[in-house]
Amino acid sequence: KVAEAVKNYCLIKNCKAVFIAGDVIYDRGVKNINDEQFTSKFEQVYEDIDLPFYIAFGNHDYFGCITCYLRYTKQSNKWHMPSYYYAVNFDTISFFVINTENFDNIQNEWLTQKLSNDKNTWNIVIGHRPVETTEEEHGGEQWSGIKEYKQTICQAAHYYISGHAHILEDVDRIDECKTIQLVSGGGG
């Protein structure tokens, strides 16, 4: 149903790409680069969408072979995950895909530099874990580097889009930040 909705939306809106905020191969990740789940849970599901898919790591992806996610980029025309975190630009929008499963000082410095040097009209950060959510199971959940991450995006990013919480939610502004957070954790 999600793939059908994306396909129909993109036919009307002329999309340039699709972003997935983690937990692509639910619920234990993949065992190896030839795991059939790449086909059954990604390629077949999105076969009618002829767009690049930019992937972020989720906590369930980390239960399996995480380097396989990066290596799969070379085997698929659709799957794009060049690194644990990376930037993608389209017209006047910059997207920064981060890894909330391992948000360390090196990644934070990279994101700080990228956001401070960004000249595009809009910048959007995409990661798996939300900073805030009203969903009961994940509300108030802390993850490694969340405080540093929040400081980094607070006045620099226009939007933060996350998954993880199993709802669709417009959190609005994160605390006193200008950053608006959207949660798309509804499966797909």
Side-chain angles (χ1 to χ4, degrees):
K1 290 181 181 181
V2 171
E4 189 68 23
V6 170
K7 179 180 120 183
N8 292 337
Y9 180 84
C10 287
L11 286 173
I12 297 167
K13 296 294 185 178
N14 194 27
C15 300
K16 296 186 187 244
V18 178
F19 289 83
I20 298 180
D23 286 353
V24 184
I25 310 296
Y26 197 82
D27 85 294
R28 306 290 305 162
V30 296
K31 292 182 176 108
N32 56 55
I33 190 67
N34 298 313
D35 195 313
E36 64 85 23
Q37 292 182 97
F38 281 121
T39 301
S40 65
K41 294 182 178 178
F42 179 75
E43 298 290 347
Q44 289 174 347
V45 173
Y46 299 112
E47 68 185 344
D48 292 336
I49 302 170
D50 189 26
L51 294 168
F53 280 67
Y54 293 95
I55 312 295
F57 277 113
N59 60 310
H60 287 273
D61 302 315
Y62 257 67
F63 291 138
C65 173
I66 58 173
T67 58
C68 294
Y69 282 64
L70 303 175
R71 292 180 13 227
Y72 191 69
T73 295
K74 293 179 180 159
Q75 288 188 213
S76 174
N77 293 328
K78 195 177 297 280
W79 178 287
H80 296 275
M81 191 179 206
S83 185
Y84 288 92
Y85 50 92
Y86 54 95
V88 179
N89 294 304
F90 292 102
D91 302 324
T92 61
I93 305 173
S94 297
F95 293 92
F96 304 98
V97 179
I98 63 163
N99 181 3
T100 60
E101 298 313 298
N102 187 23
F103 194 80
D104 58 13
N105 288 335
I106 295 168
Q107 186 177 176
N108 193 38
E109 289 172 16
W110 172 86
L111 183 60
T112 300
Q113 180 184 16
K114 289 290 189 183
L115 287 170
S116 65
N117 293 331
D118 188 54
K119 303 293 184 230
N120 275 331
T121 305
W122 297 98
N123 58 54
I124 299 169
V125 181
I126 299 172
H128 183 62
R129 294 182 184 264
V131 172
E132 296 178 4
T133 181
T134 60
E135 191 231 15
E136 278 188 36
E137 184 178 348
H138 299 295
E141 190 173 85
Q142 297 296 304
W143 42 275
S144 178
I146 188 173
K147 290 179 184 171
E148 295 81 4
Y149 171 68
K150 189 173 164 183
Q151 289 173 338
T152 297
I153 66 167
C154 190
Q155 298 305 325
H158 294 102
Y159 288 93
Y160 174 49
I161 300 173
S162 69
H164 194 53
H166 297 183
I167 59 173
L168 298 174
E169 180 179 32
D170 180 349
V171 177
D172 200 16
R173 299 203 183 283
I174 299 171
D175 292 339
E176 303 300 318
C177 299
K178 78 172 190 176
T179 307
I180 295 172
Q181 182 185 335
L182 304 171
V183 179
S184 179

